[in-house]
Amino acid sequence: MAALTPAASCAEPMLAVPHARSGGSLRLDGLQWGIGTWQSARVDLQLPEGQTLVLLGHNGAGKSALLDTLAGFLPVRAGRVHLGARDLTPLPPQARRIGYMFQRDALFPHWSIERNLRFGRGAQADLDDLLEALELRAWLHLRPHQLSGGQRQRVALARALVGAPELLLLDEPLAAIDPEARPALRRSLAALLRQRAITTVLVTHDPNDARLLGDLVGVIEAGRLLQVAAPQQVFDRPADLRTARLVGVDNLWGLQVLSTHRSAQQTVVVLGLDGQAVLDWVGILPAGIAAQPGDRLTLAMRAEAVHPCPASNARQAHAASSEVTLSARLIDARCEGPLWRLRCALACGLEVEAFALPALWRELALHTGEALGLRIRQQDMHLLT
Amino acid sequence: MLHHPARSPMFWVFWLMGATLLAFIALPLLALLLHPTLADLRQVAEMADVRSAIGLSLAAALSSTALAAVFAVPLAYVLARQRFAGKSAVEALVDLPLTIPHTIAGIALLLVFSRGGWLGAPLAQIGLEFWGTFAGIVLAMSYVGLPYAVNAARGGFEAVDPQIERAARIQGGGTWEVFRRVTLPLARQGIGTGLTLCFARAIGEFAAVVLLAYYPMTAPIRIYDLFLQSGLRQSVAASVLFLLVVLALFWGLRLLASVRAPRQRGEGASAWPR
């Protein structure tokens, strides 16, 4: 198992000496890709040089097909792919200078690890840095079948990085790794990406990968790029309901606008269910949302933005307050790694997901059916159409 | 003490049925091998025409196997990797020699490759004749052996993960280099099986060969000839001699294949349901 979890000590020094070499920014001009009869929408995108774009989406969203198109394995249906000053569109895969780590390791099973790394671009490359960074030296003379799944993935990563590719494509790089080894390898990968500063496109369906590895996160569904922004922006302020679902926003409440009024520079929207007020939303209305009485809107908030507190604290905050505290009852609670996930119900019937640190959970000493308060900052509640 | 898990009744029933099949295969060969005396064997081994017939069979079968390597392997790769209109028709065409009686195959080959045949006539003008020649024997053997080579090699190529080939391409390998250094070595077990089956089918072919080239005599034709001329005794001895040569060759090939075959992940693990 030690081989699956490279020591954090090896990741840190790598940050100190960035290689800072890459082939320029990746630009998609109206790119349309597809397999068989399926094809994507046309996409325009610019990924700055040395940055990592994480594409997040469910299986079948077209993420891997996009990588195969960028690599030249699938023909471009429309548009062009530029990497720096080079137009990659007409080039065959071997001429694109791309490193590609596949979901399955795709190592050459009939060769030693060293020969795997020495194929093609790696023939003349200096392997020392990579061998050190990914702790591969001990396995150089072994065959892939002699390594564990995690070890093979690390070799596959090294092979993708060998010979200074100008663009790095990573297809679910951590999917085949044991769950307990995944965080360590994720950290190593993040350090490597920062150190090498290679323009990178990584696809995943794991939001944790997106948060830690992405300079930009793109949310993709059925071949449509729903939102591209910094990770914080995408996760905290998803552009629409579909994006919110894809990035795993836990609380999505369908509510009705009961009334709207202005307070100082902000708008106060009274939201309710079946004509009964649930809470007051205070803020600047997002573009495209008018919030007229009678409109149906979705209020989105992540579970980590909902803070449980004793029931005595529960009170409906007045409109000017920067937070609201709602009364709820506990439905159930379960431990998810370092946090407790609480499922609660408001008096109106809405269900709320919230997280509590173990210390708070012990302090609250709640049992199923008991009352508690849920404190939510106004800036963590977002209106979606 | 080693503890062996109990086998299910299904295991023993299946083994019994399998053993019946194995006995069916082995008994006639055993009867054949035990029939001639050493003196009979020595006598036919000293017959120059028998030795040359066996040599001719080996040479022609090897030539048809070489042809299979050149023509069947590329077609196998195309069938394994490409989807195209009419693919099922191509597959059916490849399998056709397996389904038609070989006498009919021989007659059909005659119509095309005899001196007056569609291709035989123009090829004769450049000195390539098939009627009663070594080339004709190779042609007939290839016709019946090629489907085995194509199908088994195709299986070998299909067993190679296309992602591995893609990895080689994106690492900078050209299409020919990737095929030569990655695909071909990984598919070699299937290709080897295909070529071995092709060789086996070719060396034993009688009907198609006898129609296109009775002379020079291959081993199966010479054995038949001995049977007609001298009865069972000499033909059995010649059969055993031919069989021993062929079996020695196949065991050698199998040994070579098992030594050189790359180990697959999980190989050797028992998958019998308990």
Side-chain angles (χ1 to χ4, degrees), chain A residues 33-45:
Chain A
W33 67 97
I35 303 176
T37 55
W38 180 90
Q39 62 184 25
S40 73
R42 295 186 71 144
V43 167
D44 292 289
L45 178 77

Side-chain angles (χ1 to χ4, degrees), chain A residues 39-187:
Chain A
Q39 62 184 25
S40 73
R42 295 186 71 144
V43 167
D44 292 289
L45 178 77
Q46 176 125 13
L47 176 62
E49 180 175 353
Q51 293 211 349
T52 297
L53 167 69
V54 176
L55 289 174
L56 191 63
H58 291 313
N59 291 338
K63 309 185 298 290
S64 296
L66 172 59
L67 291 195
D68 281 350
T69 307
L70 296 179
F73 296 129
L74 289 175
V76 164
R77 294 282 171 96
R80 309 207 71 80
V81 179
H82 293 273
L83 184 62
R86 288 196 302 147
D87 182 1
L88 297 186
T89 323
L91 298 178
Q94 64 269 29
R96 295 191 175 202
R97 295 206 291 272
I98 287 175
Y100 195 158
M101 182 184 175
F102 298 88
Q103 193 171 349
R104 298 189 302 276
D105 56 68
L107 296 176
F108 310 124
H110 56 313
W111 288 341
S112 68
I113 300 307
E114 183 168 16
R115 276 193 79 184
N116 265 272
L117 299 177
R118 286 283 177 210
F119 181 80
R121 237 186 5 248
Q124 305 298 326
D126 178 10
L127 298 181
D128 283 345
D129 275 4
L130 273 176
L131 297 180
E132 288 303 320
L134 288 160
E135 297 182 345
L136 304 180
R137 204 174 285 282
W139 311 332
L140 279 181
H141 300 296
L142 299 179
R143 295 277 183 98
H145 71 81
Q146 293 173 292
L147 303 181
S148 71
Q151 289 168 337
R152 283 197 301 273
Q153 285 298 93
R154 280 164 61 186
V155 175
L157 176 60
R159 188 180 61 180
L161 286 165
V162 83
E166 295 181 357
L167 175 66
L168 186 62
L169 305 176
L170 305 173
D171 190 358
E172 304 272 8
L174 306 174
I177 310 290
D178 295 337
E180 65 271 24
R182 213 170 282 166
L185 195 57
R186 192 183 284 124
R187 282 195 299 275

